[in-house]
Amino acid sequence: MDQDQMPMYERLIQHKKTNPISFHVPGHKNGFLYEGMDPAYAQLAQLDLTELTGLDDLHDPQEVIAEAQRLLADFYQTKKSYFLVNGTTVGNLAMILACCQEGDLVLVQRNCHQSILHGLIMAKLDPIFIAPDIRENGATEIKLQMVEKAFQQYPTIRACIFTYPDYYGQTYDFQAIIDVVHQHHSLVLVDEAHGAHFALGHPFPQSALQLGADIVTQSAHKTLPALTMGSYLHINSDRVPLKKVEKYLKTLQSSSPSYLIMASLDLARHYLAHVSTEDLTFSLRQSQEFIEKVKQLPNIQVIRSKDPLKITVRHSSLSGYELQAKFEQAGVYPELADPRQILLIFPLVKSGMVYPYDQAFRQLQSLSWAGGQARNQPMQNIISQESIAITTLALSYKKMEDLDDQWVDMDESVGKVASQMITPYPPGIPLILAGEKITITHVQQLKQLIKIGARFQGGTENLKQGKLAVFSM
Ligand SMILES: Cc1ncc(COP(=O)(O)O)c(C=O)c1O
């Protein structure tokens, strides 16, 4: 197919150029009612259209949307690909609901996004969680032996849900894992939210699509030039029930999908299809020069990722949150901070596009980086891998739905079933998942984590007071 085309984007621009007079939704009437507001906003609203003649319908695509999705499938070399307007969140829900049936056993990578957990709940599945290993640099890695062990224990696993890469752009040897899952006639579902650009090939890691995963979701908006909430869902094998996927996408997505988002998904695919080797060299050289300079700042350590678009930065005496505040003080905004570090995501620029790296560095350099006492000690060893290696739930999601919960003292919680997930940072992998039975090892590890000042996703205050949420039974 001709990857020079941008049918969706072009049709939207064409429509705008005819100076149309709106007697339809949305209520801002092509931005007319934004008079007096910032013109940039009103201009954008001129492209915020709806299912007008010639603009097709996401839920029954026949014209430009169908064409744009075919171009997407052609670029990624898939069986079929879809635009998502509710992020990878909706893609994850739809792929789980479509590929699994109530009561199915599914293998789930423990450090998954909450949308995966929500999908398990909605589909009423029986998950078997496997924990990744944590490498020295904090990267998470699913081990082939763990997957094999899980299949030995639970041979009827219907599907395996992986997160590849992790938020920090780290990957693992996925090919061998996919092959093993397929040997067991199980499906490979992949949340590749952070890897939409992996299709470019070396030096990026291989995409789950190239490695033979059955169904893959990608947040185009995270690394490609797509608007927030713009994502892709790809069907990559005949094992996926296509009609069910479409049924759930229709059920879960808005009946008024954003044309701005859809056009940006078309643009993002076009952009990616036109990144040349020269562009890539240029892009990575620019970010490399920035990295080299940042590394020279006093007390700063830069850690590379398998994904060259990502780095983490640490300071010898500042927490990740303090470092984030410092970067922001310089007008430089990282993607996220955790207790130990910040994450930076670089743009995928093309030859000649001069991203303000120099300005960013000058602004960073203007701050004082003198260090206090080193206090960034690794914490991950506290969590014993055996306690979370392969776990199942003590209660089904269906049962959990009808139960109340309560806070109890940690020591009293042993043997009870947790009603909330507890995720210490680092390493950012849930120590306890809702529905798991709390063990004495969990409590011992939690106490140690609290003692050394670990932070927890949600509920830190209650935990510090020695309380855990459990189901009342
Ligand atoms: C691994 C992972 N999966 C899924 C999502 C959800 O993606 P979206 O924001 O596109 O809905 C995120 C968001 O950060 C994520 O990190």
Side-chain angles (χ1 to χ4, degrees):
M1 288 180 83
D2 181 1
Q3 289 290 334
D4 283 346
Q5 305 293 310
M6 287 184 279
M8 186 63 217
Y9 167 78
E10 279 157 5
R11 184 61 60 87
L12 212 59
I13 300 292
Q14 234 175 41
H15 181 83
K16 192 205 97 170
K17 284 188 175 158
T18 62
N19 292 322
I21 302 168
S22 167
F23 286 96
H24 56 76
V25 300
H28 57 64
K29 305 293 170 198
N30 299 339
F32 186 86
L33 301 196
Y34 293 140
E35 196 181 297
M37 301 292 133
D38 192 305
Y41 197 81
Q43 270 172 24
L44 203 63
Q46 287 178 22
L47 294 169
D48 180 33
L49 293 165
T50 186
E51 287 83 2
L52 302 175
T53 305
L55 290 185
D56 211 355
D57 176 355
L58 178 67
H59 295 294
D60 183 20
Q62 306 288 337
E63 306 166 53
V64 278
I65 298 179
E67 186 60 10
Q69 292 190 147
R70 273 197 293 276
L71 281 160
L72 179 66
D74 177 64
F75 174 71
Y76 280 97
Q77 293 289 294
T78 62
K79 302 267 174 215
K80 201 155 181 195
S81 295
Y82 302 85
F83 286 172
L84 305 176
V85 291
N86 297 67
T88 291
T89 297
V90 81
N92 286 344
L93 297 178
M95 80 175 173
I96 292 172
L97 284 158
C99 295
C100 309
Q101 291 179 16
E102 184 170 340
D104 275 349
L105 278 182
V106 285
L107 187 77
V108 184
Q109 182 171 336
R110 194 175 180 90
N111 56 328
C112 60
H113 185 254
Q114 55 176 350
S115 56
I116 298 286
L117 299 173
H118 294 157
L120 303 178
I121 295 169
M122 286 168 76
K124 300 189 168 64
L125 304 178
D126 282 343
I128 298 140
F129 292 99
I130 53 168
D133 275 9
I134 304 146
R135 292 195 221 124
E136 180 53 29
N137 61 4
T140 55
E141 175 181 23
I142 289 290
K143 282 272 167 51
L144 174 65
Q145 299 90 300
M146 290 286 285
V147 176
E148 284 172 333
K149 198 168 159 193
F151 272 103
Q152 273 161 21
Q153 284 180 32
Y154 305 96
T156 60
I157 291 170
R158 160 106 191 103
C160 300
I161 308 170
F162 298 102
T163 305
Y164 171 99
D166 67 14
Y167 210 130
Y168 298 87
Q170 302 290 5
T171 55
Y172 44 86
D173 179 12
F174 203 16
Q175 180 72 79
I177 292 176
I178 292 177
D179 292 346
V180 161
V181 175
H182 283 156
Q183 277 159 24
H184 286 87
H185 309 290
S186 181
L187 286 172
V188 178
L189 280 48
V190 182
D191 174 350
E192 199 176 47
H194 298 276
H197 56 298
F198 285 5
L200 289 175
H202 185 76
F204 297 104
Q206 277 187 298
S207 158
L209 288 168
Q210 293 156 341
L211 296 173
D214 294 290
I215 180 165
V216 176
T217 53
Q218 297 173 331
S219 294
H221 68 95
K222 290 193 193 294
T223 49
L224 309 183
L227 295 184
T228 297
M229 300 216 294
S231 288
Y232 300 137
L233 184 145
H234 304 287
I235 309 237
N236 202 34
S237 85
D238 294 328
R239 288 178 284 258
V240 175
L242 196 132
K243 288 276 164 274
K244 276 177 86 180
V245 172
E246 293 183 355
K247 179 183 92 174
Y248 282 110
L249 287 179
K250 211 178 249 193
T251 311
L252 298 168
Q253 296 207 92
S254 168
S255 64
S256 310
S258 161
Y259 274 73
L260 272 172
I261 294 178
M262 288 191 282
S264 80
L265 287 170
D266 198 20
L267 260 172
R269 181 272 314 153
H270 178 270
Y271 188 91
L272 202 55
H274 290 81
V275 175
S276 64
T277 315
E278 203 180 66
D279 291 329
L280 210 50
T281 310
F282 176 84
S283 189
L284 298 179
R285 196 178 334 115
Q286 296 238 318
S287 52
Q288 179 60 34
E289 282 169 14
F290 178 71
I291 293 171
E292 291 307 324
K293 286 185 196 159
V294 170
K295 272 163 72 177
Q296 303 309 319
L297 291 171
N299 301 306
I300 286 287
Q301 185 193 4
V302 172
I303 295 143
R304 288 171 179 285
S305 166
K306 284 272 176 66
D307 178 355
L309 286 192
K310 294 188 170 179
I311 56 165
T312 47
V313 183
R314 296 178 185 175
H315 186 274
S316 56
S317 63
L318 298 178
S319 73
Y321 306 110
E322 289 162 339
L323 189 56
Q324 179 183 37
K326 211 160 165 81
F327 267 59
E328 290 180 358
Q329 203 186 327
V332 178
Y333 288 79
E335 163 67 8
L336 62 76
D338 68 31
R340 211 157 31 133
Q341 60 203 352
I342 55 171
L343 171 68
L344 304 187
I345 308 182
F346 298 129
L348 193 57
V349 294
K350 290 191 186 173
S351 296
M353 290 181 177
V354 183
Y355 201 69
Y357 281 118
D358 284 347
Q359 186 188 344
F361 181 69
R362 275 198 308 277
Q363 289 171 200
L364 286 172
Q365 204 182 19
S366 70
L367 302 179
S368 155
W369 292 92
Q373 282 220 314
R375 60 181 168 95
N376 256 326
Q377 296 305 322
M379 293 182 187
Q380 59 259 37
N381 292 342
I382 288 178
I383 296 185
S384 107
Q385 282 300 113
E386 293 91 278
S387 71
I388 56 167
I390 298 182
T391 65
T392 53
L393 299 182
L395 283 179
S396 71
Y397 286 121
K398 205 173 161 66
K399 282 215 178 97
M400 282 186 241
E401 228 169 50
D402 298 322
L403 292 173
D404 288 329
D405 62 353
Q406 62 186 72
W407 292 97
V408 296
D409 283 340
M410 241 176 233
D411 293 319
E412 278 174 42
S413 72
V414 176
K416 297 193 163 61
V417 179
S419 65
Q420 285 184 12
M421 177 164 82
I422 295 176
T423 306
Y425 276 92
I429 297 167
L431 173 62
I432 306 174
L433 287 159
E436 280 181 338
K437 197 170 256 187
I438 299 168
T439 63
I440 190 132
T441 315
H442 286 145
V443 171
Q444 282 164 351
Q445 290 171 6
L446 267 177
K447 284 183 176 174
Q448 257 181 296
L449 283 161
I450 293 165
K451 201 164 142 196
I452 60 161
R455 300 199 194 200
F456 298 85
Q457 197 176 57
T460 303
E461 279 320 304
N462 280 312
L463 279 169
K464 280 192 176 151
Q465 286 164 21
K467 303 274 187 202
L468 276 180
V470 297
F471 283 113
S472 321
M473 285 187 281

